[in-house]
Amino acid sequence: MTHRRQFLLVASGQAMAAVLGASMGLYASRLTAQGAKKSSRPASGPLRVSPRNPRYFCDAEGREVLLAGSHTWNSLVDMGRGDPPEPFDFDAYLDFLGRYGHNFIRLWAWDSTTWDTRANGRLGKDFIHQAGPLPWLRKGPGTALDGKPKFDLTQFNPAYFDRLRRRVQAAGRRGIYVSVMLFEGWGMFHGNRRRGTKDQWAWRSHPFHPENNSSGIDAKEKVHSRAYPAVNAVQEAYLRKVVDTVNDLDNVLYEVINEGGEKEWDWWVVETVRRYERAKPRQHPIGITGHGAERLPSMLASPADWISPGRQDGFGDDPPAWDGKKVSLLDTDHVWGVGGTGAWVWKSVLRGHNPLFMDPYDGTVLGNRFDPQWEPIRRNLGHALRLARQWNLAAMVPHDRLASSGYCLADPGECYAVYVPTGGKVFVDLGGATARYNIQWFAPSTGKTVAGAPVTGGGRCDLTAPFAGDAVLWLQRAQ
């Protein structure tokens, strides 16, 4: 199918018709869960960094893929007030993702047996979550600090790894790529001594605390470091077990740790996984996320395939254009915690990032149940994916100066995608491009598309959005 035919398809009703600010329940009623399941194709992989445009991954067919989606904390490890914690309905979560058209999640690990959410400020609850299952069996001998049997760090918990595999497989069948989080660092790196919480709560409920395991392991709060070889040996055995569990699946990416880990340890995890996968049928991308011990320069210098920059790296409401040295999975988690807008999605996409949303989802862990303020970002992640699938991402790079709005992803002479945050007038520099271009306007607030009159290049092209509010302009060379 030519790009011109792809361009025309977008106007045929692929965009979701949802009003700005509608509740998730009202929006979801427009699409059935069964319809969402039938409409998705299995994820194609393993993904690899595109040799033509390293801002993106490409799939098994060599097609560049934009990754965009929302993720939530208890997608792998159950979290709740109960003990054991209330089970998470993963199938309902996949239905939710399907209704919004997302294609990526982070599958969250959690290192400790508790989470004191009072460490999470305005989003926190007023109680401590119990968390489980974890990767190791609790069979003693001896009693841990919580009164339960100690962890035996020489024996893995089949329930954890069976669940990991089933959930990655289920997501792959829905066309969703999964970042398998190997370790969780926020609890130890940030939350362990927050105001209003019991001091050392994350450490006192960690399996590597000497009072919580029968294996003689004591990380002395240096859990994610190279300080203790015996600790690293346990971690390496666990990494091998994760790889053994999911290596044959096409939709896998690995994430070293969420917001933690010393640089030397982060890089060691990347190399450990990569070395072990070399002898396996498949090799998967490995990433390092921001807001931990590493900053942007060291993440870019790392052996990781992808990184996730954060607010301390200069990323916020107006993310800078990405140079493509590695794939950027730009995640609201490392910018606001929970935050972002529909406008942020488009600014990120048109500056070469793959946008992700830390989603409170049903409010079980943090935040409020189905808070309508997050509807625009959820919907526009799906809208951006649908448009990007029509573009030749292999050749699309940020060209901010080509549009007066400052947000332009383009293959000059062929395709221009422009975001206009305030709507109204915008000009696009088509100098040197004398071809004729078809035009479409997309309304992020409504999900509707309006065709514009074709234009001819050769200089500055002044255009006006045909509706109020922010707009996405797409110019595609006519064939």
Side-chain angles (χ1 to χ4, degrees):
M1 182 180 290
T2 67
H3 291 304
R4 181 172 181 272
R5 289 177 61 198
Q6 290 174 327
F7 181 91
L8 293 173
L9 279 174
V10 175
S12 68
Q14 290 185 359
M16 291 184 179
V19 296
L20 180 63
S23 70
M24 189 184 78
L26 290 174
Y27 179 66
S29 68
R30 298 178 183 272
L31 291 172
T32 66
Q34 186 64 33
K37 292 178 184 177
K38 288 182 178 179
S39 65
S40 61
R41 299 192 316 170
S44 171
L47 294 178
R48 60 189 177 90
V49 177
S50 168
R52 299 181 293 184
N53 190 348
R55 293 169 181 81
Y56 307 103
F57 291 112
C58 57
D59 62 16
E61 287 73 43
R63 297 172 299 198
E64 282 68 23
V65 176
L66 178 71
L67 297 177
S70 56
H71 54 94
T72 199
W73 302 277
N74 53 340
S75 55
L76 179 61
V77 178
D78 294 328
M79 298 174 181
R81 190 191 296 260
D83 190 8
E86 298 78 5
F88 181 76
D89 190 337
F90 192 70
D91 286 337
Y93 175 56
L94 291 180
D95 290 342
F96 167 87
L97 296 168
R99 288 191 290 268
Y100 289 96
H102 297 179
N103 73 345
F104 181 88
I105 61 171
R106 297 165 74 197
L107 197 61
W108 274 72
W110 192 254
D111 283 12
S112 301
T113 62
T114 64
W115 182 351
D116 192 334
T117 65
R118 292 171 296 184
N120 296 91
R122 63 181 177 83
L123 289 170
K125 305 293 186 181
D126 61 354
F127 59 88
I128 296 173
H129 286 305
Q130 303 297 317
L134 295 191
W136 298 277
L137 286 174
R138 302 196 71 168
K139 56 181 298 184
T143 302
L145 292 174
D146 61 3
K148 299 177 184 179
K150 289 185 175 183
F151 287 92
D152 182 345
L153 300 179
T154 68
Q155 296 195 49
F156 293 115
N157 182 359
Y160 181 90
F161 293 96
D162 289 347
R163 176 183 289 190
L164 170 62
R165 180 172 178 83
R166 288 196 308 270
R167 293 192 176 180
V168 175
Q169 285 178 310
R173 288 192 292 269
R174 305 280 193 102
I176 296 171
Y177 296 95
V178 176
S179 174
V180 175
M181 190 183 293
L182 300 171
F183 299 93
E184 203 295 307
W186 177 88
M188 289 294 298
F189 193 83
H190 294 284
N192 201 38
R193 288 184 172 86
R194 287 279 177 94
R195 289 182 180 178
T197 68
K198 187 174 181 178
D199 194 34
Q200 295 185 307
W201 62 266
W203 171 232
R204 287 181 60 80
S205 63
H206 199 288
F208 291 2
H209 189 291
E211 298 298 322
N212 292 336
N213 70 81
S214 59
S215 306
I217 292 298
D218 182 3
K220 304 185 191 305
E221 294 193 72
K222 301 285 286 184
V223 174
H224 307 120
S225 77
R226 296 284 280 150
Y228 301 104
V231 172
N232 295 152
V234 172
Q235 292 169 331
E236 182 166 357
Y238 157 76
L239 292 171
R240 288 171 177 256
K241 179 64 173 177
V242 171
V243 171
D244 289 341
T245 301
V246 299
N247 173 263
D248 64 312
L249 304 180
D250 288 338
N251 61 321
V252 169
L253 300 86
Y254 297 112
E255 176 180 337
V256 170
I257 188 170
N258 173 64
E259 298 186 356
E262 296 180 1
K263 170 186 168 181
E264 292 76 13
W265 182 86
D266 289 348
W267 294 25
W268 169 77
V269 172
V270 173
E271 295 290 12
T272 298
V273 172
R274 184 165 289 146
R275 183 172 59 250
Y276 190 56
E277 276 210 317
R278 287 194 187 107
K280 297 284 186 178
R282 290 172 171 78
Q283 287 74 49
H284 301 91
I286 311 171
I288 295 175
T289 61
H291 199 53
E294 290 200 62
R295 298 292 295 273
L296 185 58
S298 66
M299 290 193 291
L300 287 172
S302 77
D305 301 296
W306 62 270
I307 65 172
S308 191
R311 180 168 290 277
Q312 65 179 356
D313 302 308
F315 291 78
D317 293 292
D318 192 24
W322 193 242
D323 60 13
K325 292 179 180 177
K326 292 185 185 292
V327 178
S328 166
L329 301 186
L330 187 56
D331 194 336
T332 64
D333 184 31
H334 314 305
V335 178
W336 295 282
V338 176
T341 62
W344 176 86
V345 172
W346 292 105
K347 291 176 181 179
S348 300
V349 169
L350 298 190
R351 284 185 164 167
H353 302 277
N354 298 259
L356 312 177
F357 173 48
M358 182 74 257
D359 197 332
Y361 185 48
D362 62 1
T364 300
V365 178
L366 297 177
N368 300 318
R369 181 175 178 83
F370 303 140
D371 191 329
Q373 73 171 304
W374 307 125
E375 281 299 291
I377 190 169
R378 291 173 181 143
R379 289 189 284 108
N380 280 288
L381 286 166
H383 293 328
L385 276 171
R386 281 185 291 279
L387 287 184
R389 288 185 180 118
Q390 315 303 316
W391 304 335
N392 178 21
L393 288 177
M396 300 280 280
V397 301
H399 286 280
D400 291 350
R401 294 183 179 181
L402 293 183
S404 57
S405 67
Y407 303 99
C408 180
L409 191 72
D411 174 10
E414 294 293 328
C415 178
Y416 303 80
V418 177
Y419 180 57
V420 191
T422 58
K425 296 182 179 180
V426 64
F427 72 76
V428 182
D429 183 359
L430 297 178
T434 57
R436 189 171 176 80
Y437 294 89
N438 293 321
I439 288 180
Q440 279 192 10
W441 292 93
F442 177 78
S445 62
T446 65
K448 294 184 178 180
T449 301
V450 178
V455 298
T456 300
R460 168 172 163 162
C461 180
D462 292 278
L463 299 163
T464 302
F467 43 74
D470 63 340
V472 178
L473 168 65
W474 175 14
L475 297 91
Q476 179 69 50
R477 179 171 177 165
Q479 300 298 316

